[in-house]
Amino acid sequence: MTTITELPVSWSGLVIESRKPYPATLSLGVDGADVQGVFRVESLNGAVPRLTVADVDIPVEGTYDSAIGILSLTTQSGDRRGELIFDVAVSDVGSVAVASEQRHINGRGTQRARAVLATDRDEKDALERIAVLSAAFEGWRPDMVEGSCPATLAAWRDEALTFRETRRDPVEQYDIFYTDAFRKAFGAPYETVNPERLKQNASLLRGACRPDDRVRGDKTNQLAYMVGQGQPHQDHLLWRFESEAARRWVEARSDVLKSDTPMTSAQLNLLNAMWRGIGISRYGFNISDLNTDIERRRTILRAKENRADMLAFYDRYKDRFDLLIEVARNHANQDEEFLTEVQDKLDAYLEPASDVYARDANTVSEAEYMLAWAAQAGTAELCPLSRPATCRRIGKRFEDRVRDMTEDFAEALEQAAARRTDKDNRSLEQLATQVTFAGDMDMIYGELLEIGKLKDSWADVTDTRQRLQKRLAKPLQAELDALSGAEALIGFERRYFIGDDLGEGSVRRVSEVLDVRLADEAPFRGAEGGDYLNALVNQDFARLRELDAHYTRGYRPMIAIAGASLSMMNPTAGPALERELANLSAIHGVFGAYILNYQDAWPKCLKFSDPVFEVTKSQSTVTRNEFGQEISNVTNWTTRDQYKVPASLEAHFRTLWRSDVRTSDARFMDWLLNDRRTNGLVDGLDDMMKQHGCHSPAVRKLEQGMIAYYGDVRRRLGHR
């Protein structure tokens, strides 16, 4: 298609307002892309347009963008009705324009009119013909002229009626004006026939040439008005001109959109507006296809703009370690060229930023973030773009800082213990107070209780409590013997014991009694993570939420800080991240492991017709130090394993293991299976599955509880 690179200086055509055509001329002076000129709209038979002044030279100025073939001109009329912006779709066979109200500076408001413009003699003649016919038929209607019907007009009438019986397309209806029979009946081709001859024949068609047959007579009457009124001629001739001009312009623009020619957002927006403004769908074009090309271009533009913004983010937040690492993780799937630029920025900023983070850290959440980061510093998931050695150095720096911080935390814990507990008080009430205190400290400090000076202080708290349990063994046994009912027994255990307390020899008798009396309600007592599994058996959702807070404690701070970083980049993500953080649950890891391990634990419980799924897995040998930090990681093998699952669990397998990586299920599974506490819970589940059959009452209740609680968690997350 031909692209107009140099604008003609002389244009003429029509401005169409409320279906009425007004002759118009346009004279241009072009200086590169800048255009100035004079626009003039003529009155027609005394009528003047409402959109602007008539019969006056109106200065215009604007620009021509040859890439999209649009000439944009703003009037400088000073008219009280306001100025107009004419957007002209320029083609090599004529131009179609849209006139809109000017809003602010170059802002386009309501579309007021459209225009057609031509630059060569034939095109100008075609448009002048419309004005001539419109003026000639102004206020005129066909009469009923009697007498004899000319044979040539009768022949054209019959041809036209026959043709119209088989043609329903409104465009094809006008083909009857371009036949030999028409030329003979009207004395000239349609393009040049005298308007008076059209009027004369229209009146004959209403009178002498109207058949006596009622149906044919009515159709001939319609034909007479088609010939003898100005609007049908105007609509038809405008459509012929506009459709060809629009076709040539749209095809040229479509070629440009599909090419590699650079385009701006403003160009794409103007093209999109012009598609609609000139109504290209009227001319057979599929606007959806054209908009697909525009959207592809917008995607390319957004990618370029986002690329610059994304790289600028690293410079803007070069001292924010948490933001740098989280943004780098989110950029890990970008193209190689972009990642090279990101790598350069991380090489420059990441280690200094980690120094700042470690230096300023003083809260438990920050310490836990550093602890969790150090534990996984060697993994590609946590440190995807920076150099592995850099990540290991940062991990070591964080370890050292955490160890220093535990001294302050230990002092705070000891002060809290002194306020809330009384070593000299040897009552059951004091024991319950110490258990509550231990639970509170576990929620505050989590895995930090296993590090440095805090580990020693925590050991003192534990030793004080367990010595009191030993001293109170008989009162504990007496209270236990007086209780009845599972709820009371479970309450007794939670009130006086925490963690591994019941594994101590001094309270072995209490533990044994609880094992026997809670065999049905708590069949997995003594197993690692037994409290969670038993709560699932009883579908005790309130207890499960409490335990979720415990089992997700290790990675909660890391998720919270990552979420805060993402919210800073995308504020609209805040509510969803807050909802996910508020509903972190170990059920994703527990239920997922249960389904995967089903075929190995209970192969005879599966049917031939049960579904089989494939999951890619890698097995590595990992060595860690006291902080849980990875010292070495050797991938032994990667395989695509097949898993057969009960049909009743098929939907849950798909949700847990086939989730899109962007969903909460997928993210929770990833975090959970890299967390020490949750791994311990899954180990306890594995042991349970080896010891119990698939049809045992305890396993049936456990599975029902997992399904129910998983559904509850998903509902809280806003999933169905």
Side-chain angles (χ1 to χ4, degrees), residues 501-523:
D501 286 351
L502 283 170
E504 295 296 307
S506 59
V507 289
R508 181 179 298 113
R509 174 61 182 157
V510 172
S511 178
E512 290 173 350
V513 171
L514 287 171
D515 287 344
V516 173
R517 296 182 64 182
L518 289 173
D520 293 331
E521 291 80 4

Side-chain angles (χ1 to χ4, degrees), residues 362-377:
N362 55 28
T363 67
V364 171
S365 292
E366 289 167 333
E368 289 185 312
Y369 176 78
M370 290 189 290
L371 179 65
W373 206 92
Q376 300 185 47

Side-chain angles (χ1 to χ4, degrees), residues 129 177 182-183 187-194:
R129 173 74 171 170
F177 289 164
F182 179 93
R183 182 179 55 80
Y190 176 68
E191 291 83 355
T192 59
V193 66
N194 191 295

Side-chain angles (χ1 to χ4, degrees), residues 493 515 518-538 594 602 684-685 687-693 696-703 706:
E493 180 179 1
D515 287 344
L518 289 173
D520 293 331
E521 291 80 4
F524 306 120
R525 284 179 47 75
E528 191 169 8
D531 51 358
Y532 199 89
L533 300 179
N534 287 327
L536 286 170
V537 168
N538 295 304
Y594 176 82
W602 304 311
L685 175 72
D687 292 339
M688 177 281 299
M689 295 178 76
K690 293 173 184 176
Q691 297 168 12
H692 295 260
S696 72
V699 168
R700 291 293 90 198
K701 289 182 179 180
L702 175 66
E703 183 177 303
M706 286 190 288

Side-chain angles (χ1 to χ4, degrees), residues 671-686:
W671 292 327
L672 284 162
L673 298 183
N674 284 285
D675 176 70
R676 292 165 68 183
R677 285 189 176 182
T678 309
N679 280 335
L681 179 52
V682 170
D683 288 343
L685 175 72
D686 291 343

Side-chain angles (χ1 to χ4, degrees), residues 106 112 114 236 303 322 373 396 439 531 634 648 652 658:
N106 293 327
R112 296 284 306 280
R114 73 182 200 277
H236 164 60
D322 51 336
W373 206 92
K396 181 63 169 61
D531 51 358
V634 180
S648 60
H652 302 297
R658 307 298 286 274

Side-chain angles (χ1 to χ4, degrees), residues 186-324:
F186 290 81
Y190 176 68
E191 291 83 355
T192 59
V193 66
N194 191 295
E196 293 305 315
R197 186 64 177 270
L198 290 170
K199 292 180 179 181
Q200 177 185 345
N201 282 354
S203 295
L204 286 169
L205 288 169
R206 287 205 66 203
C209 295
R210 178 170 178 165
D212 293 333
D213 178 80
R214 184 180 63 81
V215 174
R216 285 174 59 80
D218 289 344
K219 291 183 178 180
T220 300
N221 195 54
Q222 294 172 9
L223 193 61
Y225 279 100
M226 185 176 177
V227 172
Q229 285 192 312
Q231 196 65 54
H233 295 294
Q234 175 185 308
D235 292 345
H236 164 60
L237 292 174
L238 275 175
W239 190 92
R240 285 191 70 185
F241 183 92
E242 289 177 319
S243 63
E244 180 61 12
R247 181 185 67 82
R248 298 283 287 184
W249 178 75
V250 170
E251 289 177 354
R253 305 294 69 79
S254 181
D255 289 345
V256 171
L257 283 171
K258 288 180 168 62
S259 71
D260 295 328
T261 303
M263 299 187 76
T264 66
S265 293
Q267 288 176 315
L268 295 174
N269 291 338
L270 188 51
L271 273 180
N272 192 40
M274 287 296 282
W275 293 158
R276 291 167 170 76
I278 64 177
I280 60 171
S281 57
R282 294 189 302 144
Y283 309 120
F285 291 100
N286 188 328
I287 198 168
S288 296
D289 292 342
L290 294 168
N291 283 341
T292 297
D293 291 334
I294 285 182
E295 188 55 38
R296 181 185 66 84
R297 283 297 196 129
R298 282 180 172 153
T299 300
I300 294 171
L301 276 177
R302 283 194 295 267
K304 290 180 179 178
E305 293 166 358
N306 289 343
R307 183 189 192 93
D309 290 342
M310 288 189 295
L311 289 173
F313 191 94
Y314 292 92
D315 299 325
R316 190 159 59 250
Y317 295 105
K318 62 182 181 180
D319 295 328
R320 286 288 304 274
F321 176 83
D322 51 336
L323 288 179
L324 288 176

